[in-house]
Amino acid sequence: MRALIVDDEPMQIQGLLKHIRWEALGYRTPLTARSGMEALKVLQENKVDVLITDVAMPGMTGIELLARIQADYPQQQSMQTVIISGFDEFEFVQEAIQLGAKAYVLKPVKTEELEQKLEALRTAAEKKKRLEQETALLREKVTESREVLLERFIKDLTGGWIHSDELLDSWRRLLDLPAGEWQATLFLFDCDSLHLHHSHDAKEQILLGEGLQNAVKLGLDGFSGAYIGTAGAGETAVLVLEAVPEVRARLEKQLSFIQEVLHEQYNASVTVGVSREACSWTEIPLLYKEVRHIIADARLAAYGQIAYCDRHLLNEYHDFRLREEYIPEIVRLLELGENSKAFGMGLLSELARKLKRNQDTDTETNIRMWQRLIDCNGVEEVRKAVLEYLAHYTQHKQKEQTTQQHHLIQQVRQHLAAHLQENLTVKQLAGLYHLNSSYLSVLFKKETGQTISEYVQETRMNKAKELLRDPGIKVYEVAEQVGFQTAAYFTFLFKKTTGTTPQEYRDYYY
């Protein structure tokens, strides 16, 4: 560090040179000047880290010296200043601080006090220098590494931190992203073990996270429209832009490969969530939230699935947001008390209009709630009325959703009963009704108390019992009609279920 002492009293300069432990504090022998003009000449020829100047000097005061440095010496802008002043000159110190002075000491100068100031300034300068070096290295690394840029871009985009077209345009230029609006799909890979077993091993978490991302990069190598990054802990996100159906189908074939790699290398399962298609970049933070909900729902049925977004799952997610996000926010706004009645009326109007659009309108209830809201006095009454209507609205929607789910499962059961000869997979069955396979499994179990395979097996056995009562139908023909490829396996499963072989069952009745 290099210091410059400016004082019009030679004894003051000599005292500071002699009594301050410059070398021990990390400073070279200071430069000196006896006036402001002389100090400016020194600064013109030397890089100075710390300026120690008296306030009251003839010709040019310490304040004027600081002002000149700030205006005319840009190369010295990082210089830190210590002001020396008398007790009655404190108003000058205030002005000096406004000009960037970092510290001041009163006359007569105490050696220990000034040494403390100098040490603090050196520490601050070293930290600042280290930060500048790290920033320069980071800037160089960011400029050179596309992967680092992608990591930040995906994290910011899915997290909702990209909040303007201008900011997105700067990312477009940096990563050479497509112009205009995007047709975007989000694929989210989530390592099950990190969430389900709550690992407390930092090394395991790092290895699994890195392993997952490497597997995704390997699996999707060659897909130019796929942008890979990290969204959350243990999550790798892939944003696919402007993918034609053929490319997307080819990409989806790689999902199982990625799951297999993680299982072979780390004995870990991965659940993959595939979003709906978005038509604007502003929807991507919502896609991320929706896909996380899809993954959580898929895990209720089994781990390591590939879960696709569908209308029913989105309805469930929006119900969840209504309960967990919107209603608490509505309550907060009502409790603020500003225009609460107008806010309540606007909200009720929107809900009533939505019910009317869906032909679910309850005119009598709506009229009662409007009248009650008009008669409200004070925030608390408005709050209570709005929350009651929200409860009514939510109950109505839940009842509607339950009815829809009941009809849906009834259709699925009828289809299974009519196609017992076909060995449909859950994925094929879900595709017939445009559903996510994991969602269908969970919904079926919730409605019937059985898994789909349990229901199919029970239905096949019941149909087999019915057919066996006809002596004209041979046992192997019964097996074929209820979907078994071999009579032997049918006989084994029938006896396991009923306690008798098909022939014994027939002999018992006939």
Side-chain angles (χ1 to χ4, degrees), residues 273-468:
V274 183
S275 79
R276 60 184 171 85
E277 192 172 63
C279 298
S280 170
W281 69 269
T282 56
E283 288 186 73
I284 293 172
L286 179 59
L287 288 190
Y288 174 61
K289 292 180 180 179
E290 290 174 354
V291 174
R292 289 196 67 185
H293 182 80
I294 291 167
I295 289 174
D297 194 81
R299 285 177 174 148
L300 296 175
Y303 308 138
Q305 294 198 72
I306 298 173
Y308 292 85
C309 183
D310 61 39
R311 180 173 55 83
H312 294 278
L313 277 174
L314 289 183
N315 287 341
E316 277 201 351
Y317 175 66
H318 294 151
D319 288 345
F320 169 79
R321 292 192 79 190
L322 178 66
R323 293 193 309 272
E324 303 298 325
E325 295 182 29
Y326 299 145
I327 290 180
E329 179 63 12
I330 287 166
V331 172
R332 187 188 69 79
L333 292 172
L334 285 172
E335 288 176 343
L336 289 176
E338 296 179 6
N339 299 318
S340 58
K341 187 177 289 190
F343 175 78
M345 286 182 172
L347 178 63
L348 264 62
S349 176
E350 279 300 312
L351 294 177
R353 189 179 295 115
K354 185 173 182 181
L355 288 173
K356 187 175 181 180
R357 279 201 305 269
N358 296 338
Q359 298 180 338
D360 299 324
T361 183
D362 183 350
T363 305
E364 187 178 343
T365 300
N366 289 342
I367 291 173
R368 283 203 308 268
M369 291 305 298
W370 277 113
Q371 187 61 52
R372 183 177 170 188
L373 194 60
I374 291 168
D375 295 339
C376 282
N377 294 312
V379 175
E380 190 56 37
E381 289 186 18
V382 173
R383 177 180 181 276
K384 190 174 180 181
V386 170
L387 289 179
E388 282 186 18
Y389 190 83
L390 280 170
H392 164 77
Y393 176 84
T394 304
Q395 186 180 20
H396 184 91
K397 297 303 290 181
Q398 286 174 340
K399 184 179 178 182
E400 176 192 350
Q401 185 176 2
T402 302
T403 303
Q404 290 176 347
Q405 290 174 351
H406 175 74
H407 289 321
L408 172 67
I409 297 304
Q410 286 301 106
Q411 291 178 38
V412 172
R413 291 173 66 176
Q414 290 170 7
H415 183 88
L416 289 170
H419 297 81
L420 286 177
Q421 290 177 293
E422 303 174 24
N423 288 296
L424 289 171
T425 65
V426 176
K427 186 174 181 180
Q428 288 171 329
L429 186 63
L432 293 173
Y433 295 92
H434 309 289
L435 293 172
N436 182 289
S437 57
S438 60
Y439 176 73
L440 176 60
S441 298
V442 172
L443 197 60
F444 194 95
K445 179 74 178 286
K446 180 181 176 182
E447 180 72 24
T448 65
Q450 296 176 297
T451 65
I452 292 175
S453 60
E454 289 170 346
Y455 174 79
V456 169
Q457 182 173 309
E458 182 183 282
T459 305
R460 282 175 168 172
M461 292 300 107
N462 290 337
K463 181 67 175 177
K465 290 176 186 177
E466 180 186 327
L467 294 172
L468 286 169

Side-chain angles (χ1 to χ4, degrees), residues 5 49 87 94 100 191 202 221 280 282 304 312 328 390 480 485 506:
I5 303 172
D49 300 295
F87 183 76
Q94 290 179 308
C191 200
D221 184 39
S280 170
T282 56
H312 294 278
L390 280 170
E480 289 176 358
Q485 294 181 348
R506 169 173 280 173

Side-chain angles (χ1 to χ4, degrees), residues 62-196:
I63 304 298
E64 292 169 336
L65 173 61
L66 281 181
R68 282 286 302 276
I69 294 170
Q70 195 174 74
D72 301 334
Y73 293 78
Q75 73 276 18
Q76 303 287 358
Q77 293 304 311
S78 62
M79 182 180 67
Q80 302 182 85
T81 304
V82 180
I83 295 292
I84 299 175
S85 71
F87 183 76
D88 57 351
E89 298 166 337
F90 186 70
E91 66 273 14
F92 295 112
V93 175
Q94 290 179 308
E95 191 174 348
I97 290 173
Q98 290 177 358
L99 288 168
K102 298 298 182 184
Y104 74 92
V105 290
L106 291 172
K107 294 178 181 179
V109 176
K110 295 179 181 177
T111 303
E112 298 82 359
E113 183 183 2
L114 183 54
E115 285 186 345
Q116 288 177 358
K117 306 284 187 186
L118 291 169
E119 186 174 14
L121 292 176
R122 179 182 57 79
T123 302
E126 288 175 348
K127 288 181 178 179
K128 186 176 180 182
K129 186 176 181 180
R130 189 162 65 246
L131 182 61
E132 288 173 351
Q133 290 172 341
E134 290 173 357
T135 301
L137 287 172
L138 180 61
R139 185 175 289 111
E140 183 180 345
K141 184 178 179 182
V142 164
T143 304
E144 292 177 355
S145 175
R146 181 179 172 80
E147 287 189 4
V148 173
L149 291 172
L150 271 176
E151 283 285 320
R152 179 61 183 270
F153 172 66
I154 296 295
K155 198 172 188 68
D156 284 5
L157 187 61
T158 55
W161 296 106
I162 297 179
H163 46 72
S164 67
D165 289 322
E166 291 77 14
L167 183 55
L168 180 68
D169 286 340
S170 70
W171 277 110
R172 288 186 204 265
R173 292 190 295 271
L174 208 54
L175 292 171
D176 195 25
L177 299 171
E181 284 294 356
W182 292 336
Q183 295 289 329
T185 306
L186 186 68
F187 293 75
L188 191 63
F189 299 78
D190 199 2
C191 200
D192 295 323
S193 59
L194 292 182
H195 295 272
L196 302 175

Side-chain angles (χ1 to χ4, degrees), residues 31-44:
L31 301 168
T32 61
R34 294 179 58 182
S35 69
M37 290 303 297
E38 190 177 333
L40 292 176
K41 290 180 182 178
V42 173
L43 290 171
Q44 211 165 20

